[in-house]
Amino acid sequence: MSHRIGFTGDVMLGRLVDERHRRRSPEAVWGTMLDRLRACDGLFVNLECCLSSRGEPWRRTYRPFHFRANPKWAIPALESAGVDACALANNHVFDFETVGLTDTLDELDAAEIARSGAGRTLEEALEPAHVTVGDRTIGFVSLTDNVPEYAADESSPGTAYVDIDVEDARTRTTVRETLDRARSKSPDLLIVSLHWGPNMVERPPESFGRFGRWLVDQGVDVVYGHSAHVFHGIEVYEGRPILYDTGDFVDDYAVDDDLRNDRSFLFELSVGDGGRPSELRLQPVEIFDVAVHEASTDAAAWCRARMRARSEEFGTSFERDGEALVLPLTE
């Protein structure tokens, strides 16, 4: 039996998104994408904010932006879309200091939404999540190379921070140990979320390519990247998709007229018998009115053209199905 697993770009529910949607029904943030999100058998997002009404903005080092959403509407919003797991290893989950971070952990736990990538200690931050989707178990690991001052340690809260460098022995050891813990429950599918690299760039550095392929060599089935606010090309390595960057899905950010950080996709992975990825479907989306929507005809054409161009260097080509791009996955 095939299952469809959805992945989104950054979900930032703070600032104007928070202000606007406190006065709306929680599901309004998903715009015209709500039914499609609900139709996924499993849904994974990068939660680019903390969920709290408490805490003071991080001032220990300079941080220009601080993102926080009130959990009274944000948790029902995540539940309304059927979000199964949140990646928390990113550069905003600690924006409102320890209380904001721990509130986020507690709110997600109370809602029974799985999470990985941040914790009260390094051990908790590195702990993989395990999600049941139908008759399948999915292991979910979340790591970041953003904001080293947010990194957890043995006795302090923070994120699961690593240097993205396959030549770094410490990184290799940390990642291998984390993947071993993820495999302890014999998941049918193993996903690694990576919040990596700088903002507003159109392609990943070669070091990310080496790291992504190394992860697949370690047994990872899906590399799920984000951070740039701009979607990147997709590589298929050994039949496994490397999503170098999934762009943005919900936010209130200023829009670059060329890079169009308000446009991306819902990435839908079909997983067949034995837990093997068989197809990746890319449904174009765009952000407006601080909500995500199915892309207009012109925006969808722009998304398809940019994705095709950005994926050429990886030898990746797509089929077309309506407004969507379709990528068969074969070794």
Side-chain angles (χ1 to χ4, degrees):
M1 180 180 178
S2 179
H3 294 77
R4 187 171 60 174
I5 312 300
F7 300 90
T8 77
D10 292 352
V11 171
M12 198 292 286
L13 303 179
R15 290 197 317 194
L16 294 179
V17 184
D18 182 60
E19 180 181 318
R20 188 77 57 86
H21 288 285
R22 289 191 199 191
R23 301 192 296 272
R24 293 176 169 177
S25 60
E27 64 267 21
V29 72
W30 310 117
T32 58
M33 290 300 294
L34 180 61
D35 288 344
R36 193 166 194 100
L37 293 170
R38 286 174 169 171
C40 291
D41 299 304
L43 183 59
F44 294 77
V45 308
N46 173 57
L47 184 63
E48 188 82 340
C49 61
C50 68
L51 302 178
S52 179
S53 59
R54 306 189 300 158
E56 296 296 324
W58 175 283
R59 303 296 187 199
R60 299 184 229 176
T61 55
Y62 174 68
R63 299 284 298 147
F65 306 113
H66 302 88
F67 300 153
R68 173 177 60 179
N70 191 312
K72 289 184 178 180
W73 79 267
I75 287 291
L78 296 172
E79 292 175 323
S80 73
V83 172
D84 290 282
C86 294
L88 299 182
N90 58 53
N91 57 319
H92 288 291
V93 72
F94 213 174
D95 279 356
F96 283 80
E97 286 281 354
T98 298
V99 67
L101 172 61
T102 56
D103 280 354
T104 304
L105 305 178
D106 291 342
E107 292 287 349
L108 291 172
D109 290 348
E112 297 185 345
I113 298 172
R115 42 94 178 171
S116 65
R120 295 168 182 81
T121 64
L122 178 60
E123 182 178 6
E124 183 182 358
L126 290 170
E127 184 65 27
H130 290 88
V131 176
T132 300
V133 174
D135 59 351
R136 305 284 167 79
T137 299
I138 298 176
F140 187 56
V141 170
S142 178
L143 306 167
T144 185
D145 72 344
N146 283 196
V147 193
E149 57 265 42
Y150 278 14
D153 63 26
E154 285 72 13
S155 58
S156 300
T159 60
Y161 177 90
V162 296
D163 289 320
I164 305 296
D165 182 359
V166 294
E167 303 301 323
D168 186 286
R170 183 174 180 179
T171 292
R172 291 197 307 271
T173 297
T174 298
V175 174
R176 282 173 174 152
E177 289 176 349
T178 303
L179 295 179
D180 285 344
R181 286 199 294 277
R183 280 189 286 259
S184 67
K185 296 187 179 180
S186 301
D188 299 289
L189 193 76
L190 182 54
I191 301 166
V192 172
S193 165
L194 295 168
H195 200 71
W196 55 355
N199 298 162
M200 307 307 281
V201 296
E202 295 181 86
R203 63 185 304 276
E206 176 52 33
S207 60
F208 285 15
R210 291 192 297 270
F211 196 79
R213 292 186 289 272
W214 177 79
L215 285 173
V216 174
D217 288 338
Q218 304 307 304
V220 172
D221 295 298
V222 184
V223 177
Y224 166 38
H226 30 82
S227 178
H229 304 305
V230 177
F231 64 81
H232 290 177
I234 295 172
E235 180 175 2
V236 179
Y237 176 69
E238 301 292 343
R240 269 59 177 183
I242 302 176
L243 313 179
Y244 284 106
D245 205 291
T246 48
D248 288 347
F249 199 69
V250 176
D251 59 47
D252 66 349
Y253 305 153
V255 176
D256 184 285
D257 290 336
D258 179 44
L259 296 177
R260 295 311 303 251
N261 49 295
D262 59 335
R263 296 174 177 175
S264 186
F265 301 90
L266 171 63
F267 299 80
E268 299 172 313
L269 181 72
S270 294
V271 180
D273 293 338
R276 296 190 61 81
S278 59
E279 181 184 272
L280 184 67
R281 184 181 187 91
L282 282 62
Q283 188 68 37
V285 300
E286 60 181 325
I287 303 165
F288 58 85
D289 192 26
V290 293
V292 61
H293 300 272
E294 295 178 4
S296 68
T297 299
D298 288 346
W302 185 96
C303 289
R304 289 192 301 271
R306 289 293 178 105
M307 178 56 81
R308 289 183 190 275
R310 292 170 184 173
S311 298
E312 282 181 356
E313 67 179 284
F314 305 116
T316 303
S317 59
F318 300 88
E319 300 171 1
R320 170 92 180 267
D321 182 11
E323 299 288 11
L325 292 174
V326 179
L327 176 59
L329 299 171
T330 57
E331 292 191 35

